[in-house]
Amino acid sequence: MTNGYPAIVSTHTDVLAACRKAGVDPAEVDYLTFDHLHTQDVRRRLGTTVPQPDISPHQPVAAAFPNAKLQPQRAELEALADLHPFQRPWYQPATFADLPPERILPLDGSVIHVSCSSFPPAS
């Protein structure tokens, strides 16, 4: 205990459990984004075009978010092709090789403009 709080948190969740708890159907998620691609293995999120020896050796990985597009920064996505050897363990470029290309929507810049018709305009 530290100041009356546990020093180590023992309760964890995953993205799909958090969606269920929030009442969000993963099939209704349109976009996935991360602050950086390092340490992100998005194969289970987007699915793959071919089997993956380490997680699904006999068939392509099914997408947990079947309609979502990944929105990475274009510069970071392009950097995966020529990583410094010290970066390779963090970025895992091989995990991006077999993603469905139509599910990747690269961004240029740091602002995402979202249009949402289900909310009234701000006044």
Side-chain angles (χ1 to χ4, degrees), residues 46-52 59-61 97-102:
L46 296 179
T48 63
T49 57
V50 297
Q52 302 295 294
Q59 60 190 20
V61 177
D98 299 319
L99 298 176
E102 69 277 7

Side-chain angles (χ1 to χ4, degrees), residues 10-54:
S10 60
T11 303
H12 300 282
T13 190
D14 61 52
V15 174
L16 293 176
C19 284
R20 283 190 297 276
K21 185 174 181 180
V24 174
D25 178 352
E28 294 180 4
V29 173
D30 296 320
Y31 302 102
L32 300 174
T33 190
F34 297 93
D35 60 343
H36 293 289
L37 294 179
H38 67 280
T39 71
Q40 305 302 331
D41 181 349
V42 298
R43 295 176 294 173
R44 289 186 175 103
R45 308 287 182 245
L46 296 179
T48 63
T49 57
V50 297
Q52 302 295 294
D54 59 332

Side-chain angles (χ1 to χ4, degrees), residues 39 84-93:
T39 71
H84 185 280
F86 290 148
Q87 290 177 304
R88 290 183 195 281
W90 291 100
Y91 276 88
Q92 308 170 50

Side-chain angles (χ1 to χ4, degrees), residues 73-119:
Q73 288 293 320
R74 184 182 312 277
E76 190 173 23
L77 192 60
E78 290 171 353
L80 289 173
D82 190 28
L83 290 170
H84 185 280
F86 290 148
Q87 290 177 304
R88 290 183 195 281
W90 291 100
Y91 276 88
Q92 308 170 50
T95 66
F96 289 84
D98 299 319
L99 298 176
E102 69 277 7
R103 307 277 311 278
I104 300 173
L105 182 63
L107 299 174
D108 295 306
S110 60
V111 178
I112 300 173
H113 296 281
V114 178
S115 173
C116 186
S117 60
S118 62
F119 292 102

